[in-house]
Amino acid sequence: MYDIISIGDTTTDVFLEIDQATVNCKIKKDICQLCVDYADKIPVNKIIRLHGVGNAANSAVGASRLGLKTAIYTVVGNDIGGKEAKKNFTKEKVSSKFLKIDKTKPTNYSTVLNFDGERTIFVYHESREYKLPKFGKSKWIYFTSLAFGHKPLHKQLLNYLEKSGAKLAFNPGTFQIKEGLKVLKPILKKTEVLSVNKREAQILLKNNSSVPILLKEFYNLGVKKVVITDGPKGSYTYNGEDMYKMGIFDTPILERTGAGDAYTIAFVSALVLENNIKTAMRWGTFNASSVVQHLGAQAGLLNLDGIKKMIKNNKNIKPQKIEK
């Protein structure tokens, strides 16, 4: 019996630290552009490669760090990236039983530009032939970013959830959001926890309303617990009865890659360990605050002792109930 099985693509991330660029914030205060001169050569201060990352990998590693029994279904290439990804999973005590090797296509690849504490990511997903393995029993499934063409997995996943009774956490990636609400409605109806940021929520619902309205719209689609993050403004949850807002835990920021993954997997892990959603929000907030102090999505992921210490030392930092 697994606690959580993550489903999603795995990548190799290459981080480029740059400083010869101009950030243009003249359009609107909350919209910035990273601008470089066309055809110019841009100096890079540092380059770092991280293998075995991506939304699914980050969630699997994050849950494992918190003491849960985890596995991952992912497809990697028969290359250095794929081999190093498997090594990373082994090191982090994530089962690779369901890891598949694509002998014809390489492991996915992302280039991350790190500038002034923020990241801009160029993502490349190889097209894959996805087929859900025979998982056996798991308490939860964590469904996240996959390449275009993964739609056949939807029916397979729904069948597994129906037969196994596993709960579903859904953190949609770029291609899943592009599928649109009509395609995703059957998944949302079976979702125990949906986690998206505010912009993703607005795109999916085709609604630029405030977060409380977006939370209620997702709940009305069948989602049992809705989580919407809103960057420096914090996070929100709604379970049909109570709505909460949690501010961020203010820490120095080195780089923001993986903050959303860290929040969501800590939130879900708290529920797996039978905590309530207010505690889950605190776990998510503290885990994300740790990740942004490190380079990459996994270095700062907390273990269970780390989470408990943060809770103990910051008793006054907790969610506030808001009007629905």
Side-chain angles (χ1 to χ4, degrees):
M1 169 74 81
Y2 291 100
D3 291 308
I4 300 178
I5 300 175
S6 292
I7 299 174
D9 283 346
T10 295
T11 71
T12 293
D13 279 357
V14 176
F15 286 80
L16 306 179
E17 288 195 7
I18 58 176
D19 59 15
Q20 299 300 315
T22 300
V23 177
N24 180 0
C25 290
K26 294 180 180 178
I27 302 173
K28 291 182 180 178
K29 284 186 177 180
D30 59 344
I31 299 177
C32 292
Q33 293 180 330
L34 185 65
C35 302
V36 296
D37 291 331
Y38 183 68
D40 204 353
K41 293 182 179 179
I42 309 301
V44 174
N45 296 335
K46 186 187 293 186
I47 180 169
I48 297 175
R49 289 181 178 84
L50 298 176
H51 299 285
V53 294
N55 301 118
N58 300 338
S59 68
V61 170
S64 180
R65 294 254 184 107
L66 291 168
L68 301 182
K69 186 177 181 182
T70 64
I72 185 169
Y73 166 58
T74 191
V75 184
V76 297
N78 187 27
D79 54 14
I80 292 175
K83 293 172 184 176
E84 291 297 321
K86 189 172 182 180
K87 286 182 183 179
N88 184 53
F89 297 144
T90 300
K91 175 174 71 73
E92 295 288 352
K93 299 180 181 179
V94 174
S95 173
S96 297
K97 180 179 180 179
F98 309 117
L99 183 146
K100 303 299 180 184
I101 305 294
D102 186 337
K103 295 182 179 180
T104 63
K105 296 174 184 175
T107 302
N108 293 342
Y109 184 93
S110 296
T111 298
V112 185
L113 303 182
N114 184 23
F115 178 78
D116 198 26
E118 187 56 275
R119 85 287 188 272
T120 302
I121 308 178
F122 296 88
V123 182
Y124 180 73
H125 284 261
E126 291 284 352
S127 61
R128 307 288 190 192
E129 292 184 7
Y130 299 107
K131 184 177 180 181
L132 211 64
K134 293 182 179 179
F135 285 150
K137 292 186 177 181
S138 182
K139 295 177 183 176
W140 284 72
I141 296 294
Y142 190 104
F143 187 44
T144 187
S145 181
L146 291 162
F148 178 79
H150 67 271
K151 189 178 174 181
L153 271 185
H154 287 198
K155 186 176 181 180
Q156 298 170 38
L157 175 59
L158 291 171
N159 286 339
Y160 173 78
L161 295 172
E162 187 66 32
K163 291 178 181 178
S164 69
K167 294 180 179 180
L168 177 65
F170 185 27
N171 174 220
T174 301
F175 290 104
Q176 289 156 325
I177 290 170
K178 284 183 178 179
E179 287 176 325
L181 199 58
K182 184 176 180 181
V183 171
L184 296 180
K185 274 185 177 180
I187 298 290
L188 294 173
K189 286 181 181 178
K190 292 291 291 183
T191 297
E192 182 75 20
V193 173
L194 172 71
S195 180
V196 290
N197 64 39
K198 181 180 178 182
R199 185 60 186 145
E200 291 167 340
Q202 291 174 333
I203 291 171
L204 268 176
L205 295 171
K206 296 182 179 179
N207 185 340
N208 290 326
S209 296
S210 64
V211 171
I213 291 174
L214 300 172
L215 289 167
K216 287 188 280 187
E217 282 204 35
F218 279 122
Y219 180 81
N220 290 337
L221 290 170
V223 179
K224 293 180 178 63
K225 299 175 183 68
V226 188
V227 177
I228 296 180
T229 57
D230 193 14
K233 295 181 181 179
S235 60
Y236 302 76
T237 64
Y238 181 54
N239 64 356
E241 296 179 2
D242 299 311
M243 190 177 291
Y244 296 98
K245 179 181 179 180
M246 176 97 182
I248 63 169
F249 184 64
D250 196 15
T251 56
I253 297 174
L254 176 61
E255 193 266 327
R256 288 186 172 91
T257 301
D261 295 338
Y263 184 102
T264 303
I265 194 55
F267 184 97
V268 172
S269 295
L271 297 180
V272 175
L273 294 171
E274 300 183 351
N275 293 283
N276 60 33
I277 61 171
K278 290 192 291 184
T279 298
M281 292 184 81
R282 298 181 78 195
W283 282 36
T285 299
F286 292 139
N287 207 31
S289 73
S290 177
V291 163
V292 300
Q293 296 179 64
H294 299 77
L295 187 69
Q298 296 180 9
L301 290 168
L302 295 170
N303 58 25
L304 193 55
D305 286 341
I307 287 281
K308 289 180 177 179
K309 184 178 179 180
M310 292 285 285
I311 295 285
K312 182 179 179 180
N313 293 341
N314 299 280
K315 293 180 180 179
N316 294 328
I317 299 176
K318 51 190 176 182
Q320 301 299 319
K321 193 171 182 179
I322 60 175
E323 294 298 323
K324 292 183 286 185

